[in-house]
Amino acid sequence: MEQHIENELLESADGQEIQTLPGKPYPLGATWDGHGVNFAVFSENAHSIELCLFKPENGERECIKVKIEEVTHHVWHVYIPGLGPGQLYGYRAHGPYDPGKGHRFNSNKLLLDPYAKAINDHVRWDHAVFGYQIGHAEEDLSFNDSDSAGFMPKSVVIDPGFDWQGDVLPNIPYHNTVIYEVHVKGFTNLWDQIPENIRGTYAAIAHPASIQYLKQLGVTAIELMPIHHFVADQHLIEKGLTNYWGYNTLGFFAPDIRYSSSREPGAQVSEFKAMVRELHKAGIEVILDVVYNHTAEGNHFGPTFSFKGLDNAAYYRLVQDNPRYYMDYTGTGNTLNVRLPNVLALIMDSLRYWITEMHVDGFRFDLAATLARTLHDTDTLSSFFNIIHQDPVISQVKLIAEPWDINEDGYMVGKFPVGWAEWNGIYRDQIRDFWRGHDIEMTAFARRFTGSPDLYQSDYRRPTASINFITAHDGFTLNDLVSFDQKHNEANGEQNQDGDDSNHSWNCGVEGPTDDTDINSLRDRQKRNFLTTLLLSQGVAMVAAGDELGKTQQGNNNAYCQDNEISWLNWANADQQLLEFTRALIGLCNAHPTFRRRRWFQDLPVTGSEVKDIMWFWPNGQQIPDEEWEGHIARTFGVYLNGQGIRCVDPDGNKITDDNFYIIFHAGDQPLDFTLPPVECGSDWRIVINTAENFVGEADQTIPSGGSLTVTDHSVVALRCLSSPGT
């Protein structure tokens, strides 16, 4: 069936006619040139498109409706002189409503511009935002003629001008990068050092207190959880919850107004830019967590907000022999069809926009395996990767994949192309297993510690392809990882059925908080062990915001719907000792290129010496022979890092060298005596890290080569050599 709403006269509410000109098909979106606005929107299968203009004081119904007459290569375009920044608008698309053939046009639904640079509000859930009649016997095959304009946010024309004050991107190399994963609201919403009127916003991230904290912590990049304009799911709103994490995108060009300190339409754009500018002044990069694999419109029972109404079949992956239904590789109901050129263009245009106009430094792609799918499998040579690799803008920023999706063939850790880094889920799980006393082979620990060469080296990638992490937004916090064996997600309202059951965690003897001093001491030690292992490992370390403060979510490992104290950082109860330990630890690692190598260990002697670049030792001081590696369970050992074996030069061509370090990992449950390496590896050692003593610095005591020290159970000790071999 085809529905049609009669076109109104092109006149304002006071009867004054407005002028329309043909306009241009590029760029897509709404573009203000100082004299008027060009509107351009893609739809291949629509019969006609109407541009709807709104006044800020009346969002119930458009004050002007313009039938777009010009179409170029499926792009509908019109230019209206006299319009400017702050103008609210949307679209209505006319065409067949035939879900069985993949078409869901319904001109009663106001549609957001897929290229909108700002969105003025949030969806107000109502039956009117659905293209079909809720509760009808024919389900989504029925037709809903209710007008949705009063319940929909509006797209906003913006002024792209901004004083960047000579902004220069930090361009920090991967090997010098420490990433801090943070939620815009959760980071500052409870922080009394931030003015109350801007807490939880972009402006709060840009506040001097925030920047000083990040600088003192030593991180070089913040990875913001989704800030693209997103929708809070209806079923969550009805339960008094919300979508806190934001993995439900509706606007791929629009910074979400939730995190703006101003409600003025379009102000969120300049506020976001100001945040980036101030972080760059401090030498801190901004990486965005982006969700291009699906949209907020859900499956065939989902609402009609934008793409579904503009051209459902030209945006989504539909079931081939029954296009009423959607291919769902994400668990969210739909999947964007990156096989189609207009969808690829949308994603690439969005990425370029955030780089060129918003000055961001990189992206972490949510469920990135979905973007690689061509037919039903994942393909690392798909169009998506080829286009990015060839793009002179996008290929030059940090590209980080979450290398999996929900399908059986969707776990792609180690399989992304050159130029990509990956969240290394294998690192997370195996390092967790090591410290909880689970049996893993020494070879597994050694591979993770050295940058996962088994995953990346054969593909000509470097250790920095591995984004190492212990915790992230999804799962236990670091505190909860050592305090809970089981998830406790009752607050989510799903009878604790949501969230991962495999957490690789250990509660140290008691489930949840306890007054037992021995258990609390062990938990504190374990937190330091995890952080130390993470920061000393080759690759790129990512720290989840709040872990350094002892953040707890009371055992909730899936707090996606908790926009409250469960998720927010609790600055008043921060673990100051853990914070100081973390700062000192990051500072130590940043100061020593031994822990920030660009190239792989070669397991070969350094020129002019018989000492290798890396060597592994038993507690008795004997080097572990090759034949004892296979099948041996990792519990206790030492690793020697030769500062003369970095095998890299600095930007000026000078050979990079560093001190020698010896690191003892002891996951056993009893104290143990360790003999230090022989004199060939250097002499006169001093402790620089001792997780049992909450110590990062340099101890006064000097221990000779071959000397002995007692290492506490469940702890890490790192020593620096005061003299290199032969000196």
Side-chain angles (χ1 to χ4, degrees):
M1 76 182 70
E2 180 179 353
Q3 299 294 319
H4 178 72
I5 291 181
E6 184 178 353
N7 191 35
E8 298 179 9
L9 292 176
L10 303 185
E11 58 181 29
S12 62
D14 59 8
Q16 182 180 357
E17 292 188 6
I18 66 167
Q19 182 185 11
T20 64
L21 299 174
K24 300 177 181 179
Y26 187 85
L28 289 164
T31 306
W32 178 60
D33 62 6
H35 305 284
V37 179
N38 189 81
F39 297 90
V41 62
F42 174 89
S43 180
E44 180 177 351
N45 295 297
H47 295 168
S48 65
I49 299 283
E50 292 172 314
L51 169 68
C52 304
L53 303 179
F54 292 81
K55 292 185 176 182
E57 64 272 16
N58 182 15
E60 296 294 322
R61 187 153 180 86
E62 53 267 47
C63 61
I64 298 175
K65 189 185 295 182
V66 178
K67 183 177 181 180
I68 301 177
E69 303 290 351
E70 298 290 333
V71 188
T72 305
H73 300 149
H74 306 307
V75 176
W76 303 71
H77 50 92
V78 65
Y79 181 90
I80 302 182
L83 295 185
Q87 176 64 56
L88 305 183
Y89 72 99
Y91 293 105
R92 296 183 187 273
H94 299 259
Y97 187 83
D98 190 351
K101 294 183 179 179
H103 300 305
R104 295 179 180 270
F105 292 98
N106 186 335
S107 58
N108 300 288
K109 309 307 164 189
L110 185 75
L111 307 173
L112 285 171
D113 181 358
Y115 278 72
K117 305 304 188 299
I119 297 171
N120 76 324
D121 206 342
H122 308 298
V123 171
R124 290 195 298 125
W125 284 102
D126 186 87
H127 286 188
V129 301
F130 293 84
Y132 65 97
Q133 296 180 43
I134 300 292
H136 194 281
E138 294 185 356
E139 299 180 325
D140 63 303
L141 299 180
S142 63
F143 187 83
N144 182 357
D145 60 5
S146 299
D147 194 315
S148 68
F151 305 95
M152 284 290 295
K154 312 301 184 289
S155 305
V156 183
V157 177
I158 69 161
D159 178 355
F162 181 75
D163 183 5
W164 281 103
Q165 300 176 3
D167 179 54
V168 177
L169 274 61
N171 283 324
I172 299 169
Y174 265 122
H175 66 278
N176 288 333
T177 297
V178 179
I179 298 173
Y180 189 68
E181 189 197 29
V182 64
H183 188 283
V184 172
K185 182 176 182 179
F187 183 58
T188 62
N189 209 48
L190 295 176
W191 198 5
D192 60 7
Q193 292 190 33
I194 303 296
E196 189 171 359
N197 64 313
I198 66 168
R199 290 178 193 170
T201 68
Y202 308 119
I205 298 284
H207 189 272
S210 296
I211 292 177
Q212 181 184 28
Y213 178 83
L214 296 170
K215 290 292 289 182
Q216 290 179 345
L217 186 58
V219 299
T220 67
I222 61 170
E223 182 176 299
L224 297 178
M225 291 178 64
I227 57 84
H228 287 175
H229 196 96
F230 65 91
V231 174
D233 315 69
Q234 184 179 21
H235 74 277
L236 294 175
I237 298 298
E238 291 173 348
K239 292 194 295 185
L241 301 170
T242 190
N243 189 323
Y244 173 69
W245 287 352
Y247 292 93
N248 204 30
T249 304
L250 186 56
F252 293 109
F253 295 79
D256 201 298
I257 197 171
R258 290 173 176 83
Y259 308 132
S260 175
S261 60
S262 170
R263 290 303 176 200
E264 189 70 22
Q268 64 267 45
V269 178
S270 57
E271 185 172 327
F272 181 91
K273 290 179 178 179
M275 175 194 70
V276 174
R277 183 187 64 198
E278 297 308 306
L279 287 165
H280 282 178
K281 287 180 181 178
I284 298 171
E285 294 185 317
V286 178
I287 298 170
L288 300 186
D289 193 340
V290 290
V291 188
Y292 292 112
N293 51 72
H294 73 280
T295 78
E297 293 187 302
N299 62 14
H300 57 293
F301 289 136
T304 299
F305 294 144
S306 178
F307 309 92
K308 187 179 289 187
L310 281 168
D311 200 337
N312 185 63
Y315 281 105
Y316 293 114
R317 290 284 300 271
L318 305 179
V319 175
Q320 189 168 1
D321 57 355
N322 192 354
R324 173 185 176 185
Y325 302 107
Y326 298 78
M327 299 296 295
D328 182 10
Y329 295 114
T330 64
T332 60
N334 66 56
T335 304
L336 277 174
N337 193 349
V338 294
R339 298 178 300 176
L340 299 177
N342 62 292
V343 177
L344 270 174
L346 170 77
I347 296 173
M348 299 306 147
D349 289 346
S350 171
L351 292 171
R352 289 189 206 99
Y353 175 78
W354 287 98
I355 297 168
T356 60
E357 296 296 322
M358 309 297 266
H359 289 207
V360 304
D361 305 278
F363 306 94
R364 178 266 189 189
F365 292 80
D366 177 66
L367 299 181
T370 300
L371 298 172
R373 293 186 178 276
T374 51
L375 294 174
H376 297 289
D377 57 351
T378 48
D379 177 7
T380 57
L381 299 178
S382 70
S383 300
F384 175 77
F385 294 115
N386 287 337
I387 289 176
I388 281 186
H389 187 73
Q390 297 168 18
D391 190 282
V393 175
I394 303 172
S395 64
Q396 298 307 301
V397 301
K398 289 182 169 67
L399 303 172
I400 302 170
E402 182 186 34
W404 50 78
D405 62 19
I406 66 168
N407 262 42
E408 68 280 353
D409 61 343
Y411 195 73
M412 294 181 64
V413 176
K415 298 179 182 179
F416 274 67
V418 170
W420 285 77
E422 303 174 15
W423 271 28
N424 191 340
I426 296 176
Y427 178 95
R428 172 199 60 202
D429 295 343
Q430 291 187 339
I431 298 302
R432 286 185 179 192
D433 284 344
F434 174 78
W435 283 114
R436 71 178 175 133
H438 188 78
D439 288 349
I440 69 165
E441 293 187 0
M442 274 191 58
T443 51
F445 183 94
R447 287 167 177 164
R448 300 315 141 230
F449 179 75
T450 58
S452 296
D454 56 322
L455 299 177
Y456 306 113
Q457 189 171 13
S458 63
D459 292 333
Y460 305 102
R461 289 195 277 174
R462 294 185 173 179
T464 50
S466 179
I467 305 296
N468 300 329
F469 65 107
I470 303 297
T471 64
H473 67 274
D474 188 1
F476 281 147
T477 66
L478 181 61
N479 180 85
D480 293 357
L481 183 66
V482 302
S483 303
F484 296 91
D485 279 354
Q486 308 295 327
K487 65 185 181 183
H488 297 270
N489 299 353
E490 289 80 7
N492 295 354
E494 299 180 40
Q495 292 77 49
N496 204 33
Q497 298 300 306
D498 62 303
D500 200 340
D501 292 317
S502 179
N503 294 290
H504 301 264
S505 63
W506 177 40
N507 64 19
C508 298
V510 173
E511 186 75 354
T514 179
D515 294 328
D516 189 307
T517 56
D518 290 338
I519 290 178
N520 285 330
S521 177
L522 175 57
R523 288 176 176 175
D524 289 342
R525 200 154 68 247
Q526 287 284 79
K527 284 183 271 187
R528 296 190 289 267
N529 291 339
F530 278 120
L531 288 168
T532 301
T533 307
L534 174 65
L535 270 299
L536 297 185
S537 296
Q538 301 301 314
V540 179
M542 185 185 78
V543 178
D547 277 353
E548 77 282 10
L549 304 174
K551 175 188 174 185
T552 179
Q553 293 178 173
Q554 292 88 52
N556 192 322
N557 76 347
N558 189 35
Y560 76 103
C561 56
Q562 300 295 333
D563 186 6
N564 50 48
E565 288 82 357
I566 291 176
S567 297
W568 303 336
L569 272 62
N570 188 334
W571 295 89
N573 293 329
D575 184 337
Q576 293 298 325
Q577 286 190 338
L578 183 59
L579 173 59
E580 291 305 317
F581 179 89
T582 308
R583 285 173 172 167
L585 176 64
I586 295 176
L588 174 69
C589 295
N590 285 343
H592 287 281
T594 283
F595 307 115
R596 299 180 286 103
R597 301 179 185 227
R598 299 203 312 269
R599 300 185 185 277
W600 299 103
F601 288 107
Q602 296 184 13
D603 194 29
L604 294 173
V606 175
T607 303
S609 167
E610 294 184 359
V611 181
K612 296 180 179 181
D613 53 0
I614 184 170
M615 295 190 293
W616 299 79
F617 292 87
W618 292 125
N620 63 7
Q622 298 299 309
Q623 190 174 351
I624 302 174
D626 292 344
E627 62 270 15
E628 293 188 28
W629 277 90
E630 291 302 324
H632 192 91
I633 300 302
R635 285 286 187 274
T636 301
F637 44 82
V639 57
Y640 169 80
L641 304 180
N642 190 337
Q644 303 300 310
I646 297 177
R647 296 186 172 95
C648 285
V649 296
D650 65 19
D652 296 322
N654 301 310
K655 179 174 169 33
I656 298 174
T657 61
D658 195 10
D659 299 317
N660 302 327
F661 286 86
Y662 188 66
I663 307 164
I664 298 169
F665 295 98
H666 180 33
D669 56 8
Q670 296 296 325
L672 192 64
D673 290 335
F674 267 80
T675 300
L676 297 189
V679 68
E680 291 81 9
C681 296
S683 59
D684 299 330
W685 298 83
R686 285 186 181 173
I687 294 174
V688 292
I689 301 172
N690 188 338
T691 61
E693 300 294 334
N694 191 27
F695 175 77
V696 179
E698 184 154 311
D700 295 331
Q701 180 185 4
T702 300
I703 306 172
S705 59
S708 180
L709 75 157
T710 301
V711 177
T712 304
D713 59 281
H714 304 101
S715 70
V716 180
V717 175
L719 303 97
R720 183 180 72 88
C721 186
L722 303 184
S723 59
S724 298
T727 62

